[in-house]
Amino acid sequence: MSKIRVAVIFGGVSSEHDVSLVSATNVIENIPRDKYEVMCIGITKKGRWLYYPGDISAIASGEWERDPDCISAVLSPDPLHGGFLMMENGEATVRKVDVVFPVLHGKNGEDGTIQGLLDLARIPYVGCGLLASASCMDKVHTHTVLDYNQIRTARWRMIGQRDLNRLDERCAQIGQELGYPVFVKPANCGSSIGINKATDPETLKDAVKIAFSHDNKVVIEEFIQGKELEVAVFGYDNPFASFVGEIEPCNDFYDYEAKYILGTSRLYIPARISADSEKEIRETAVAAYKALGCKGLSRVDFFLKEDGTVILNEINTMPGFTPISMYPKLMENLGMSYSYLIDKLLEQAMENADRTY
């Protein structure tokens, strides 16, 4: 029986390029080789797509793209091709694939762009579809959908590019409405990149300018004092939530440095919370997953205030698969090993392809 050919796509034109390389390394190393044939497709920071046939250990460091055996590879949107066009010596050959695992974080990978391309090509892929990916990536859309579905989030405001010519006035207004401190975030960014805490009008303006360097839309949220909690959600028609994990950040908040560089934040699985809070958070995670149309997998992040109030922070449709990432740790706590989890993600992507296309 022939093996299933899976293409793992990594890298990307994104501020989270380097995180993707580490996640992809762990995914590739744990794909069961008795069942799958793995094809590695890397996207450089400049947007070049390359088939990489080399050593997996060279991916995380970025050395992979300097391998002389890399071949230009383009994902064809034509369903007849069913895979990649390999460009070599002025000629193109087709390399078909059965399923794609887009281990891409942030813009141009987790925001619906590659999902739309895979939909055109009618190739099954792991994770949420175009609309859910775009809605969860854009914090304005996430807040809007969750507010409509009466799922509690932090109070929030948006600043668009049209507001830049009256930034002083807008910041003063938001400060009065939300109070200080507040968190300032690019609307479309992940891994806590571009996020800053503002404590007065001046630091708010500075934080807004930093956020605008990552996106053309900025979200300001009220500060929530409480435990930082995360839940892994898995599935299609009947999704289920893991037990709740708790993060004790080593920094002021769980920023990029705390997540991926320092590695000294503490993780508690299960979280140190009451059974009632655990139940509410898991139920809310699944409700939000369904409301936003997620499928396959997502990580749902929460705050739990001292008075027991549950606040949904955000949904990540392609959570990290690094050695310290919470999603695989939470699933492992349920008894799903890394290899088993990846196998099931690929399986459900293929099983549900007929409904998608």
Side-chain angles (χ1 to χ4, degrees):
M1 184 176 177
S2 60
K3 293 182 180 180
I4 298 166
R5 180 175 288 171
V6 52
V8 178
I9 305 179
F10 55 84
V13 184
S14 165
S15 55
E16 297 175 75
H17 177 100
D18 294 340
V19 179
S20 169
L21 301 185
V22 180
S23 287
T25 298
N26 286 300
V27 169
I28 294 165
E29 287 178 341
N30 285 280
I31 293 176
R33 292 304 196 276
D34 60 333
K35 182 175 178 179
Y36 299 96
E37 175 188 344
V38 181
M39 179 179 176
C40 298
I41 302 291
I43 304 174
T44 70
K45 290 181 180 180
K46 293 184 178 180
R48 285 200 67 203
W49 289 54
L50 299 170
Y51 164 63
Y52 172 62
D55 195 329
I56 297 167
S57 64
I59 294 175
S61 66
E63 288 296 316
W64 71 272
E65 63 182 82
R66 287 179 279 280
D67 191 303
D69 293 326
C70 282
I71 300 170
S72 181
V74 177
L75 177 60
S76 172
D78 188 339
L80 187 65
H81 292 145
F84 294 82
L85 302 178
M86 315 294 286
M87 312 292 188
E88 191 173 19
N89 301 321
E91 296 184 357
T93 56
V94 176
R95 181 76 68 90
K96 290 184 178 292
V97 296
D98 299 301
V99 60
V100 169
F101 199 141
V103 190
L104 299 166
H105 305 310
K107 288 185 179 180
N108 303 306
E110 199 177 346
D111 57 359
T113 49
I114 196 165
Q115 288 78 13
L117 181 55
L118 288 163
D119 285 341
L120 288 174
R122 293 181 176 269
I123 298 173
Y125 56 91
V126 171
C128 297
L130 189 160
L131 182 58
S133 297
S135 295
C136 291
M137 185 71 186
D138 189 309
K139 295 175 180 63
V140 172
H141 283 267
T142 304
H143 271 294
T144 302
V145 173
L146 295 179
D147 287 351
Y148 178 81
N149 283 275
Q150 299 181 327
I151 295 173
R152 188 183 289 110
T153 64
R155 292 185 301 136
W156 64 284
R157 298 292 184 269
M158 183 194 81
I159 292 182
Q161 287 186 313
R162 292 187 181 91
D163 296 314
L164 288 176
N165 59 359
R166 57 184 191 99
L167 189 57
D168 288 356
E169 175 190 343
R170 190 78 178 101
C171 286
Q173 179 186 12
I174 290 171
Q176 288 180 345
E177 292 172 350
L178 300 183
Y180 289 102
V182 292
F183 278 101
V184 183
K185 307 177 179 182
N188 289 275
C189 225
S191 291
S192 301
I193 290 172
I195 295 180
N196 283 284
K197 186 178 180 181
T199 55
D200 54 53
E202 286 305 311
T203 55
L204 176 55
K205 283 190 292 183
D206 291 341
V208 167
K209 290 173 184 176
I210 291 171
F212 266 113
S213 69
H214 295 280
D215 194 28
N216 59 11
K217 193 164 51 176
V218 173
V219 172
I220 295 93
E221 296 175 346
E222 68 172 329
F223 172 70
I224 303 293
Q225 181 70 50
K227 290 180 180 288
E228 296 192 36
L229 308 169
E230 297 186 350
V231 179
V233 183
F234 177 96
Y236 274 67
D237 292 332
N238 298 297
F240 64 86
S242 70
F243 294 111
V244 180
E246 178 185 349
I247 297 162
E248 192 173 83
C250 57
N251 283 352
D252 187 32
F253 64 97
Y254 200 40
D255 59 6
Y256 184 88
E257 184 179 54
K259 285 181 179 178
Y260 301 114
I261 297 174
L262 297 177
T264 54
S265 295
R266 291 186 177 181
L267 307 180
Y268 297 92
I269 302 173
R272 300 167 298 176
I273 58 177
S274 70
D276 287 343
S277 293
E278 171 102 19
K279 181 174 182 291
E280 181 180 354
I281 289 167
R282 294 177 72 185
E283 290 176 351
T284 303
V286 172
Y289 186 89
K290 290 179 177 179
L292 284 153
C294 297
K295 62 182 181 180
L297 77 163
S298 289
R299 193 194 71 236
V300 190
D301 300 347
F302 292 89
F303 295 113
L304 179 64
K305 297 172 69 173
E306 288 187 3
D307 65 3
T309 303
V310 172
I311 305 289
L312 194 150
N313 182 26
E314 64 178 10
I315 299 182
N316 190 309
T317 56
M318 185 51 68
F321 278 84
T322 72
I324 60 172
S325 292
M326 186 66 101
Y327 188 92
K329 286 182 180 293
L330 288 167
M331 297 306 288
E332 190 173 26
N333 181 258
L334 290 179
M336 297 178 74
S337 69
Y338 223 123
S339 293
Y340 183 84
L341 170 61
I342 291 167
D343 179 33
K344 292 306 172 187
L345 287 169
L346 292 166
E347 269 188 8
Q348 67 178 358
M350 292 183 288
E351 287 171 0
N352 287 276
D354 289 342
R355 288 192 298 171
T356 303
Y357 306 126

